[in-house]
Amino acid sequence: MKAEHQTTHSRGKFSSSFGFILAATGAAVGLGNLWKFPYVAGQNGGAIFVITYLFFIVTLGVPIMLGEMSLGRKTRLNPIGAYRTLDKRFTFVGVIGVLCAFVILSYYSVIGGWVLKYVFTYLTGNHITDATAFFNSFISSSVQPILWHIAFMTIACFIVMAGVTKGIERASKIMLPMLFVFIIVILIRSVTLDGAIEGIRYFIVPNLSTINSFSEFSSMLLAAMGQVFFSLSLGMGAVITYGSYLSKKNNLQKSALIIPLLDSCVAILCGFAILPAVFALGFEPSAGPGLLFETLPRVFEEMPFGIFFAIIFFVLVLFAAITSAVSLLEVVTSFCIDDLRMKRKKACVIVASIMASLGIFVAMSFGVLSDIEIFGMTMFGLLEFLSDKVLMPLGGLFLCIFVGHIWGIDNAAQEITNQGKLKFKLRRVFSIAMKYYAPVIIGIIFIASFF
Ligand code: TRP
């Protein structure tokens, strides 16, 4: 309780509910939607994955998001502090979260670096004509990906150093609506390419023959669940941290519905912008992390004023990536400020440096170190697996158990209804989801994926 008192005054705050929704949506909408969703959908059977993903957004994403927000706003602390204040035995869940932020941001920043490289290439007036060759030679070179990765991390670091609320709130307000419009423009170009219909079909018509065995089915389930956690930034305390900057008047229920809604809209729109182009241009949907970087430049080549659209698009992707990266950096930074009593600037520089160092290996794992495998995965594959498929689901599982059974639905409901001032119509549903449904589903999928 002591920590709660000491930190309440000095902590940042969002200026309004609207600002919070934008910042939280800015944290949610990022490379997960633009880069990851299309290729993970492509690797996991297309429409079947999309439907499963949407199902989990509603039944796992929304309740867990509400749970995290209420925990954050109640305690006004970083994830470790939040759990520790309410029940010491659960401190480790916050620790998992903070570790997870390290894992994610180290590879997130590498991909952010790729985006930065594309922005720079287009801005300096270069066309990317053979995108596959361009992409492959870039990621396999030894120095470039590392430098761009460090540049990306440096940008994120500067924003967090300046204090989140102003910078991010403001940036999100302008960028997000623009991104929406741009994706739609690109989507229209993509779906009107010759042969795009195959891609549209792949994306919306379930084809059972893409899933041939129980193990493929369970790995699809795990991928869909992992993508829900990743895309909504759940399971590692980012939403707890953002919730801790939230005013006591905010309507949490509304926020927990709007953010997932906007986030999944962006993901679906991106799927429509990318997968039809993949088919029209003769790529494999299961091509993996390069999908966005290899297909879209080709789409831009086929558009009038393509280079102009390319610049704006990759700049927007860059901003989406930065607002998300910042949220990850903020989780760990806020822990260092609250608990280790560091100054914001110092905390931020130290954290970013450690993450960047880890990321150097990830950057090299696409090139120089691509032959080195740990448990059959490259460094990138391993960290992605660890965060999406292990740490975040575990964090989500423990959050549900904590809110459902330890802190209790009554306490959560007090916070969610602003001490009884708001109605909580879905309280029963929330209670069942937290106590039984979510823990059981996460547990089953988790265990099934080992077979
Ligand atoms: N949700 C972001 C995206 O879709 C990534 C992200 C930001 C994130 N903060 C997070 C993922 C916290 C997990 C946890 O790109």
Side-chain angles (χ1 to χ4, degrees):
M1 275 302 157
K2 215 166 138 216
E4 183 178 335
H5 243 116
Q6 285 170 349
T7 45
T8 331
H9 305 292
S10 56
R11 289 175 70 82
K13 235 189 194 166
F14 288 114
S15 62
S16 62
S17 311
F18 183 60
F20 166 72
I21 288 182
L22 276 173
T25 310
V29 175
L31 294 173
N33 313 60
L34 303 157
W35 156 76
K36 201 171 210 167
F37 180 77
Y39 87 76
V40 177
Q43 284 173 333
N44 287 280
I48 295 182
F49 172 89
V50 177
I51 293 165
T52 315
Y53 168 80
L54 290 176
F55 177 74
F56 285 152
I57 287 273
V58 176
T59 63
L60 292 176
V62 172
I64 293 179
M65 177 159 276
L66 189 55
E68 281 203 22
M69 272 181 199
S70 57
L71 202 57
R73 194 177 63 169
K74 168 75 191 173
T75 56
R76 299 244 160 125
L77 286 169
N78 66 83
I80 296 185
Y83 280 106
R84 193 179 43 215
T85 311
L86 296 174
D87 188 328
K88 277 211 165 48
R89 290 169 302 167
F90 273 71
T91 312
F92 77 96
V93 186
V95 177
I96 295 182
V98 169
L99 286 180
C100 187
F102 274 95
V103 174
I104 298 175
L105 192 50
S106 63
Y107 75 77
Y108 203 84
S109 161
V110 172
I111 315 298
W114 296 358
V115 178
L116 205 53
K117 160 84 180 174
Y118 271 59
V119 168
F120 185 79
T121 306
Y122 280 119
L123 270 183
T124 47
N126 295 308
H127 278 263
I128 296 178
T129 38
D130 186 348
T132 304
F134 178 85
F135 178 72
N136 286 329
S137 92
F138 166 60
I139 60 165
S140 60
S141 61
S142 50
V143 185
Q144 281 228 17
I146 298 177
L147 294 182
W148 289 107
H149 147 65
I150 292 174
F152 179 86
M153 191 68 95
T154 309
I155 300 175
C157 184
F158 270 111
I159 297 181
V160 175
M161 262 157 68
V164 230
T165 31
K166 272 192 189 143
I168 302 181
E169 254 190 71
R170 215 180 289 147
S172 304
K173 257 178 216 173
I174 308 166
M175 297 301 158
L176 274 180
M178 259 174 85
L179 184 65
F180 237 82
V181 174
F182 255 79
I183 294 173
I184 292 174
V185 171
I186 293 161
L187 179 155
I188 293 172
R189 173 64 275 202
S190 180
V191 297
T192 51
L193 290 168
D194 273 345
I197 187 73
E198 271 311 303
I200 300 174
R201 207 174 283 141
Y202 180 78
F203 195 58
I204 57 178
V205 184
N207 177 358
L208 288 177
S209 69
T210 52
I211 307 273
N212 296 312
S213 62
F214 176 74
S215 86
E216 276 181 26
F217 181 65
S218 65
S219 77
M220 185 278 288
L221 288 181
L222 184 65
M225 182 171 79
Q227 179 61 20
V228 166
F229 280 104
F230 188 86
S231 193
L232 295 181
S233 318
L234 295 176
M236 49 72 68
V239 179
I240 297 182
T241 307
Y242 272 39
S244 75
Y245 301 135
L246 200 49
S247 132
K248 289 282 181 197
K249 294 202 195 89
N250 189 285
N251 184 340
L252 298 183
Q253 297 172 65
K254 233 198 236 160
S255 307
L257 284 175
I258 295 177
I259 297 165
L261 182 73
L262 289 176
D263 186 73
S264 34
C265 281
V266 175
I268 298 288
L269 287 175
C270 280
F272 273 117
I274 293 176
L275 285 170
V278 168
F279 281 79
L281 301 170
F283 283 99
E284 279 298 318
S286 58
L291 207 57
L292 169 82
F293 297 93
E294 292 177 56
T295 49
L296 283 192
R298 303 258 304 258
V299 175
F300 293 123
E301 285 295 310
E302 310 220 349
M303 287 168 88
F305 309 109
I307 208 168
F308 168 74
F309 281 108
I311 292 174
I312 301 186
F313 178 73
F314 279 105
V315 168
L316 291 170
V317 175
L318 182 65
F319 278 104
I322 290 175
T323 49
S324 298
V326 156
S327 78
L328 284 159
L329 195 50
E330 178 64 19
V331 172
V332 188
T333 305
S334 77
F335 164 72
C336 294
I337 297 173
D338 290 349
D339 282 40
L340 307 180
R341 308 244 165 261
M342 285 189 198
K343 289 253 160 34
R344 175 172 277 275
K345 288 202 171 108
K346 181 173 159 201
C348 183
V349 171
I350 293 178
V351 171
S353 311
I354 300 175
M355 287 173 170
S357 314
L358 192 56
I360 290 178
F361 295 99
V362 179
M364 292 199 288
S365 76
F366 290 97
V368 203
L369 298 183
S370 62
D371 292 336
I372 299 196
E373 296 198 336
I374 313 164
F375 303 120
M377 292 175 264
T378 62
M379 181 78 174
F380 166 72
L382 180 71
L383 293 186
E384 191 190 34
F385 177 82
L386 199 62
S387 61
D388 296 21
K389 297 184 175 168
V390 181
L391 295 175
M392 285 195 270
L394 278 184
L397 176 67
F398 287 121
L399 177 98
C400 295
I401 295 175
F402 184 76
V403 173
H405 300 279
I406 310 285
W407 187 36
I409 298 293
D410 284 341
N411 283 326
Q414 275 290 315
E415 190 63 36
I416 290 167
T417 58
N418 298 354
Q419 323 304 330
K421 289 193 204 76
L422 300 172
K423 284 212 179 79
F424 190 9
K425 285 210 188 104
L426 294 178
R427 181 183 159 134
R428 264 193 77 79
V429 180
F430 176 71
S431 164
I432 294 170
M434 280 286 147
K435 280 183 164 152
Y436 312 110
Y437 169 79
V440 170
I441 293 289
I442 297 173
I444 291 177
I445 295 180
F446 197 63
I447 292 166
S449 69
F450 286 103
F451 294 100

